[in-house]
Amino acid sequence: MSTIKTQDGVNIFYKDWGPRDAQPIVFHHGWPLSGDDWDNQMLFFLAEGYRVIAHDRRGHGRSDQVSDGHDMDHYAADVAALVKELDLRNAIHIGHSTGGGEVAHYVARAEAGRVAKAALIGAVPPVMVRSEANPDGVPLEVFDGFRAALAHNRAQFYLDVASGPFYGFNRPGGEISQGLIDNWWRQGMAGGAKAHYDGIAAFSETDFTEDLKAIDVPVLLLHGEDDQVVPIDNSAHKGIKLLKNGTLKTYPGLSHGLFATHPEVVNPELLAFVKA
């Protein structure tokens, strides 16, 4: 397996396909999944001549199931370690959901010349949880419910998420894919319960406002208008106002997992952005 070791000794698994001299595209997965969630997009961009890379976040997938460091500062530092090890320059970083937060946190701090563009899909920034500063956010009790369900019966919780709101399979007339459900569950159960438990606070309570303001490179925001997991009004509609060079594209009726359910829509959109 291909791995790099972080400064605090964590082995991070990654996939790296394509010509080493091609422009790199780095994919950042959502909670509680792994780099496997990007198989469709990696094959698509590989066929277009790009170098494609996807890692498993610490505690997720095939990376070490460590007890600590499940927060955005460590996530971004792990990405920086991977980028340095592979010496990636002029890269495009694409993140979904929690991975979109990871992208924002990393890109805002990246070394000059490392990042060309970023795309955030159904992403959590600027901040999810409700507070005095974010009064229309998601109540903390919702995330407490996630933690309780995970601790009580993680396997059933993950099955419920994948077969329901994540892909919009709970909507009337939705075209259900058992393969997507099973693959979501497989990825989730491969990771560590502690990392996933702590990761709920990382994706829901981290405030990415200053990260978005600091990013200078072009950023594409893609979001399903029927996103039941990361509501669009509390995320993309706010995030676009904070970016210096941002573009927002939304999709009526599409869910949180729109890049998996509708790759024929999302992939050409990403390719046009990458090539622009």
Side-chain angles (χ1 to χ4, degrees):
M1 295 204 310
S2 298
T3 61
I4 60 114
K5 189 179 289 291
T6 67
Q7 285 190 337
D8 58 340
V10 180
N11 291 302
I12 300 294
F13 170 85
Y14 68 94
K15 293 179 280 190
D16 182 1
W17 306 338
R20 294 300 179 264
D21 58 348
Q23 186 174 21
I25 301 178
V26 185
F27 294 91
H28 305 246
H29 65 80
W31 176 96
L33 305 173
S34 74
D36 291 353
D37 213 33
W38 293 107
D39 283 351
N40 181 290
Q41 285 69 36
M42 289 185 70
L43 291 171
F44 174 84
F45 280 98
L46 183 67
E48 292 289 336
Y50 293 90
R51 177 183 182 183
V52 293
I53 297 146
H55 66 291
D56 294 355
R57 193 170 299 120
R58 63 169 58 206
H60 296 64
R62 290 140 294 198
S63 293
D64 285 353
Q65 293 192 17
V66 291
S67 175
D68 301 315
H70 308 297
D71 55 72
M72 282 294 162
D73 287 345
H74 280 87
Y75 295 165
D78 293 348
V79 173
L82 176 65
V83 166
K84 184 176 181 180
E85 178 71 20
L86 301 182
D87 194 24
L88 304 180
R89 300 183 183 277
N90 198 38
I92 292 100
H93 287 261
I94 300 176
H96 173 244
S97 194
T98 301
E102 179 178 274
V103 168
H105 211 56
Y106 163 71
V107 171
R109 294 159 175 75
E111 294 178 0
R114 294 289 189 188
V115 179
K117 299 177 181 178
L120 312 182
I121 305 174
V124 297
V127 61
M128 286 194 73
V129 74
R130 179 181 295 171
S131 65
E132 289 186 9
N134 191 40
D136 53 348
V138 179
L140 180 62
E141 291 76 18
V142 171
F143 304 111
D144 288 340
F146 289 177
R147 281 181 277 263
L150 189 156
H152 175 68
N153 187 341
R154 181 167 67 126
Q156 186 61 53
F157 175 48
Y158 288 179
L159 186 62
D160 292 343
V161 171
S163 59
F166 196 91
Y167 296 115
F169 293 155
N170 57 342
R171 295 304 199 203
E175 185 177 343
I176 297 172
S177 168
Q178 191 62 45
L180 280 180
I181 295 169
D182 292 348
N183 193 40
W184 201 101
W185 187 90
R186 174 192 69 83
Q187 292 177 75
M189 293 306 294
K194 177 62 161 57
H196 296 170
Y197 189 96
D198 292 353
I200 294 170
F203 75 67
S204 66
E205 298 179 33
T206 303
D207 189 340
F208 300 95
T209 298
E210 296 307 315
D211 292 332
L212 296 180
K213 290 180 179 178
I215 295 172
D216 291 321
V217 299
V219 179
L220 175 65
L221 302 182
L222 303 180
H223 217 103
E225 294 180 13
D226 191 34
D227 191 325
Q228 302 170 67
V229 178
V230 181
I232 189 171
D233 286 341
N234 189 53
S235 52
H237 284 164
K238 292 180 179 178
I240 191 62
K241 298 175 183 177
L242 299 170
L243 290 163
K244 297 174 184 175
N245 188 3
T247 301
L248 171 62
K249 297 200 174 182
T250 69
Y251 304 90
L254 294 196
S255 70
H256 186 56
L258 70 164
F259 72 95
T261 58
H262 293 77
E264 75 282 358
V265 174
V266 173
N267 290 358
E269 200 83 80
L270 291 171
L271 181 61
F273 172 69
V274 167
K275 286 186 170 183

